[in-house]
Amino acid sequence: MADIVVVFDFDKTIIDCDSDNWVVDELHATELFNQLLPTMPWNSLMGRMMEELHARGKTIEDIVEVLKRAPIHPSIISAVKAAHDLGCDLKIVSDANVFFIETILKHHGIWELFSEINTNSSFVDEEGRLKIFPHHDFTKSSHACSTNICPPNMCKGVVIEKIQESMSKEKKIIYIGDGTGDFCPSLKLKQTDYIMPRKNFPVWDLICQNHKLIKADIREWYDGQELQHVLLQLINSNIISSKEQHDGDDNGDSTQLVTVDCKLHKIPVSAH
């Protein structure tokens, strides 16, 4: 068993799109979404859009069929299965919602491989309408994030801290993400942990600009195939290292991985 907790973001990490945008676009509600976007927080807007889609006659089955078509690289599915088979504890921390995530992961046969899903709550009401609620009720209190970049409904850094509190000290975290919201949890990781930012995405840029604030080892990835390669190399090298330490071998891990050089890459941060 690997003493590793692998934490995945969902949108543009496990799937290769933003699930919110995907559903809105595929069900032809983009114009209204763009009109309302400046008026309310993203999570609240998605709740409003589900009401609008229901009013337009779109059923929960329509939403499910759209979610099943969400693009996902086959190497991501293979990576998730392999990491689980190697004994890693797999978790998701996402600003999507339970219904979207569960529908997609069940469709690809990997839902049961995750021990914990941290995301916005959702359920289908008696009228067949999908209701979406914030992970953190920001109408009652702030989540007290100090970075000023986390959305009001969720601070992934707070979630990571709770995961860390529940872990034994010898376990390591591998955090994989792409977006602005994945920067805050990156700041919470220890020197023995790993952060895997998606190259040329917002979290990559933030880490490049603030790399001295990051204690964890940085391992970049670009697409699903590279994610699989980097993740499994990290897991296997840590398993080998743990076995050598257990056997009293002080030779250490002979596997050498290339660390990201942020100085050579500067890209603008995009929204959401």
Side-chain angles (χ1 to χ4, degrees), residues 26-267:
E26 290 292 301
L27 294 178
H28 312 294
T30 309
E31 184 176 355
L32 177 61
F33 181 90
N34 290 336
Q35 289 174 357
L36 295 177
L37 182 57
T39 69
M40 63 184 76
W42 185 283
N43 176 256
S44 303
L45 175 55
M46 282 307 299
R48 172 70 178 82
M49 293 307 301
M50 294 304 103
E51 294 179 4
E52 177 63 25
L53 289 173
H54 184 264
R56 293 183 181 187
K58 300 298 182 183
T59 66
I60 199 67
E61 289 77 19
D62 293 329
I63 296 173
V64 167
E65 289 307 309
V66 165
L67 290 169
K68 288 180 178 179
R69 298 198 302 268
I72 182 170
H73 196 290
S75 292
I76 297 291
I77 299 172
S78 299
V80 169
K81 291 179 178 179
H84 181 267
D85 289 344
L86 287 168
C88 296
D89 182 9
L90 310 183
K91 303 178 186 292
I92 288 176
V93 179
S94 168
D95 197 14
N97 66 80
V98 172
F99 185 84
F100 286 9
I101 294 173
E102 181 176 358
T103 299
I104 293 172
L105 295 186
K106 281 186 174 179
H107 176 63
H108 293 285
I110 55 176
W111 166 254
E112 299 296 336
L113 304 185
F114 292 89
S115 67
E116 185 178 328
I117 309 291
N118 297 276
T119 189
N120 299 298
S121 60
S122 56
F123 72 93
V124 181
D125 69 13
E126 63 278 1
E127 297 180 2
R129 177 174 47 229
L130 181 61
K131 309 285 287 185
I132 299 175
F133 299 94
H135 178 267
H136 173 81
D137 187 354
F138 56 88
T139 64
K140 294 182 179 179
S141 65
S142 167
H143 50 52
C145 175
S146 59
T147 64
N148 295 320
I149 60 174
C150 292
N153 62 293
M154 187 178 203
C155 172
K156 294 184 179 182
V158 171
V159 177
I160 285 297
E161 287 179 328
K162 292 180 179 178
I163 291 174
Q164 289 171 324
E165 291 172 1
S166 69
M167 292 167 45
S168 56
K169 292 183 178 181
E170 67 272 11
K171 288 193 174 184
K172 301 177 180 181
I173 291 178
I174 300 176
Y175 187 97
I176 311 170
D178 71 279
T180 302
D182 297 309
F183 179 66
C184 187
S186 302
L187 300 174
K188 310 295 182 180
L189 300 177
K190 302 178 296 183
Q191 289 183 337
T192 54
D193 297 327
Y194 300 88
I195 174 67
M196 288 179 55
R198 189 170 189 179
K199 190 175 180 180
N200 295 345
F201 279 72
V203 72
W204 162 268
D205 188 68
L206 287 168
I207 288 175
C208 288
Q209 294 176 2
N210 303 277
H211 62 92
K212 291 184 179 180
L213 300 178
I214 305 297
K215 298 178 182 177
D217 205 344
I218 304 169
R219 308 292 184 183
E220 68 189 65
W221 62 282
Y222 181 74
D223 58 15
Q225 185 175 0
E226 192 169 18
L227 183 153
Q228 180 185 27
H229 173 75
V230 175
L231 176 61
L232 297 186
Q233 192 174 28
L234 281 175
I235 294 170
N236 283 311
S237 64
N238 275 275
I239 290 174
I240 292 170
S241 178
S242 296
K243 185 178 185 303
E244 288 176 344
Q245 291 177 13
H246 183 267
D247 293 342
D249 186 343
D250 295 326
N251 291 332
D253 177 22
S254 60
T255 303
Q256 295 295 319
L257 300 178
V258 179
T259 304
V260 59
D261 183 1
C262 291
K263 296 178 182 179
L264 302 179
H265 304 276
K266 286 292 181 180
I267 51 153

